[in-house]
Amino acid sequence: MRKNNLTGMIPSLWGFLFIGFAIVQLNDPDPLVWISIYSFAALICFYSGIKRIHSFILLLFTSLFASGCIYLWPSVYEGIIMPMEHSSNIELARESLGLLICAIAMMNLVFLNWIFMRRLKMAKKRVH
């Protein structure tokens, strides 16, 4: 069964969002790390829009992104709006929230997989 607009289009939107995140990282103090992370998240999203990725793999990526978010979370949250020169906690909070968005996207892909598989099972039942 082919992916429909919902299960094919939403992952692409996530992918374009992460490409935008990667581009913004060009002026970051450690751009290669974050461009790689966001590009990898975009690649997963684009691939998921074309072909189904097993939910276990997506849950693994979800846990990795969420673990990174927790690990990088600053000891003192000072927001994300102030300039980075104010405190290193600002940059840590931004990086943590970026990883949280990656984790949310992966969970969204798991949900879309569930919708796709449910529709596939219903279509098979109609055939029999």
Side-chain angles (χ1 to χ4, degrees):
M1 179 177 204
R2 230 175 122 222
K3 287 197 166 216
N4 66 7
N5 287 342
L6 175 71
T7 57
M9 187 85 118
I10 292 175
S12 296
L13 293 174
W14 280 114
F16 286 121
L17 176 74
F18 291 129
I19 293 294
F21 283 6
I23 291 169
V24 171
Q25 297 303 314
L26 290 173
N27 66 351
D28 198 66
D30 49 355
L32 290 178
V33 172
W34 293 100
I35 290 172
S36 299
I37 289 170
Y38 291 131
S39 296
F40 183 70
L43 184 67
I44 294 169
C45 292
F46 286 130
Y47 188 77
S48 178
I50 298 168
K51 189 170 167 96
R52 183 180 172 271
I53 299 176
H54 197 280
S55 292
F56 176 77
I57 294 170
L58 293 172
L59 288 171
L60 176 67
F61 291 134
T62 301
S63 64
L64 290 173
F65 287 131
S67 297
C69 172
I70 292 167
Y71 178 75
L72 287 177
W73 192 257
S75 57
V76 176
Y77 180 75
E78 298 180 44
I80 58 172
I81 297 173
M82 297 183 80
M84 287 189 301
E85 295 80 28
H86 177 71
S87 170
S88 63
N89 289 333
I90 307 286
E91 178 67 9
L92 287 174
R94 290 176 183 168
E95 290 171 348
S96 292
L97 291 175
L99 290 174
L100 179 62
I101 293 170
C102 290
I104 290 169
M106 297 301 118
M107 279 306 298
N108 182 253
L109 297 179
V110 170
F111 179 69
L112 293 174
N113 259 355
W114 178 76
I115 291 173
F116 177 71
M117 293 308 293
R118 187 175 164 110
R119 293 186 74 224
L120 185 62
K121 287 178 185 178
M122 289 172 46
K124 284 182 181 178
K125 283 182 182 179
R126 280 189 233 137
V127 171
H128 295 284

